[in-house]
Amino acid sequence: IAASPGRDVLEVGCGTGLLAAALEPDEPAVQGGLRQAGANGLLVRSDGERPGLGGFVFRHTLLRDAIEDELFPNERARLHAAYARALEARSDATPAAVHPAELAAHWDLAAAPDRALPAYLHAARLAMRVYAWPEARRSYERALELWGDVDDPELAAGIGRADILLETANVCGLQGAYPRAVELARAAVPLVDPSGDPQRAADVRESLRWFLWEAGDRDAAAAEVAEALRITPPEPPSSARARALAHAAGLAMFAGRPAEALAL
């Protein structure tokens, strides 16, 4: 039970199966252990987190913390890893039964950053799909923190660091956390070589332009648009240059220069 982060309730009917898979005894043995823990006053019955499922909860939070504190760090990490593997097995059978955020938390606490990194990114993108900006941001930020702990983070994540920085900056912008969005987008700028991929480099500058504009720094936003135009060649025509021209026109319009805006 202590191996499930942020969750006090163990649901009978799904939780016992996971515990059995993680701890390796059969499910009747887990049920027997739960019954004994209840008889000894460690656990009490609960309605569980989902309708129709009974469960158990520690009698008191301090009791739960005391039991968890008895675990050695390596023992705690081993339990988290075992629980993560049990969750992955369940996810393979029924993907909707396991939330990636829970899986990511277990791999993280198991000191397995190479497994936690992609799980956090998956969780962040699912949260974005339902407009859960705070949850998405937490997962993205943790993925960034883990990046340096993974031997080959681009292989584990499936994308480059610049992409994760921009995805994180985007959710920060949607939350209104523009200073953090600017910080992240600025960090992405030197990671894309304009000589090798000018359109991608211009897109990064354009993203930074938006965050700067929303943060109220119009001069810095205009400078980023100008740089995007400088590094994007006029030929062949590209969507990156078209966006930069359109944004430059908008900036000129807001600055009271309609003739320049029209020309752009």
Side-chain angles (χ1 to χ4, degrees), residues 97-183:
V98 177
H99 196 287
E102 184 176 11
L103 182 60
H106 282 296
W107 282 127
D108 197 356
L109 292 167
D114 57 323
R115 307 292 292 272
L117 174 59
Y120 274 122
L121 290 176
H122 188 194
R125 289 162 183 159
L126 285 181
M128 290 288 286
R129 287 170 56 185
V130 294
Y131 313 109
W133 313 139
E135 290 79 4
R137 182 180 176 185
R138 281 195 293 271
S139 291
Y140 272 127
E141 294 277 15
R142 184 56 184 154
L144 285 174
E145 291 172 356
L146 291 173
W147 187 268
D149 297 332
V150 179
D151 291 335
D152 191 345
E154 291 195 4
L155 178 63
I159 58 174
R161 182 168 175 80
D163 299 293
I164 294 181
L165 285 166
L166 290 175
E167 288 185 34
T168 311
N170 183 52
V171 72
C172 289
L174 291 168
Q175 271 195 294
Y178 297 114
R180 177 59 174 159
V182 168
E183 178 186 6

Side-chain angles (χ1 to χ4, degrees), residues 4-5 13 19 51 53 60 62 68 77 84 135 159 162 201 214 217 219 263:
S4 187
L19 279 177
L53 287 178
H60 195 282
L62 292 176
E68 187 172 5
E135 290 79 4
I159 58 174
E214 294 295 335
D217 194 343
D219 290 340

